[in-house]
């Protein structure tokens, strides 16, 4: 008798659950959704198959230590020179700013003419002229 008492509470929720599922299946919107699912099962199976393949590939790539190290090394080789160049340009800009703030002399006409002979000034002026020419050409094309 004690066995039947312990089995009844477990059986009652199972019956209630079955009735609840049957009630759900009787609803027209649920039947319509099930019909659509059954009609599209071949497509769904193909999609799931492709997703599983993609997941397997992604999983194998994500756990491949050699690939990860190669990507990391390649990224570092790409970024390191850019970072070093940026640091060098930033240091030069800070140093130039300090020099300009400490120099209180006036630059006159002869000072400008003397600066024009500097190769860096010439290079900068050629760049500025080429840049303005490109902008002018692009504006004419519009």
């Amino acid at each position: 008798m004690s066995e039947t008492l312990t089995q009844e509470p477990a059986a009652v929720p199972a019956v209630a659950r079955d009735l609840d599922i049957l009630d759900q299946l009787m609803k027209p919107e649920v039947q319509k959704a099930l019909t659509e699912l059954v009609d599209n099962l071949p497509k769904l199976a193909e999609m799931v198959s492709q997703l599983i393949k993609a997941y397997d590939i992604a999983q194998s790539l994500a756990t491949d230590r050699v690939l990860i190290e190669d990507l990391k090394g390649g990224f570092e080789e790409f970024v390191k020179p850019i970072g070093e160049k940026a640091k060098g340009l930033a240091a030069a800009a800070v140093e130039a700013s300090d020099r300009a703030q400490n120099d209180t002399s006036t630059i006159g006409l002869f000072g400008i003419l003397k600066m024009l002979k500097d190769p860096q000034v010439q290079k900068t002026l050629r760049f500025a002229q080429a840049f303005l020419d490109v902008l002018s050409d692009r504006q004419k094309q519009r």
Side-chain angles (χ1 to χ4, degrees), residues 59-80:
Q59 188 68 24
S60 68
L61 292 176
T63 57
D64 186 356
R65 294 288 174 215
V66 174
L67 177 67
I68 292 171
E69 290 301 319
D70 286 347
L71 288 173
K72 181 181 172 186
F75 186 72
E76 287 174 353
E77 287 179 19
F78 177 73
V79 171
K80 189 175 179 180

Side-chain angles (χ1 to χ4, degrees), residues 17-82:
R17 188 177 41 216
D18 291 343
L19 289 175
D20 187 39
I21 291 172
L22 290 175
D23 288 340
Q24 290 291 325
L25 289 173
M26 295 303 293
K27 293 180 181 177
E29 61 270 10
V30 172
Q31 290 177 357
K32 182 179 178 186
L34 285 172
T35 303
E36 285 185 44
L37 280 173
V38 170
D39 289 344
N40 290 310
L41 274 178
K43 291 178 187 176
L44 290 171
E46 184 180 345
M47 288 174 56
V48 168
S49 174
Q50 293 298 326
L51 284 173
I52 289 171
K53 287 178 185 176
Y55 175 80
D56 290 342
I57 290 171
Q59 188 68 24
S60 68
L61 292 176
T63 57
D64 186 356
R65 294 288 174 215
V66 174
L67 177 67
I68 292 171
E69 290 301 319
D70 286 347
L71 288 173
K72 181 181 172 186
F75 186 72
E76 287 174 353
E77 287 179 19
F78 177 73
V79 171
K80 189 175 179 180
I82 295 171

Side-chain angles (χ1 to χ4, degrees), residues 7-9 44 53 62 72 75 88 90-91 101 107 120 130 142:
Q7 290 177 355
E8 285 182 14
L44 290 171
K53 287 178 185 176
K72 181 181 172 186
F75 186 72
Q101 286 178 356
I107 299 176
Q120 288 296 341
R142 289 184 188 174

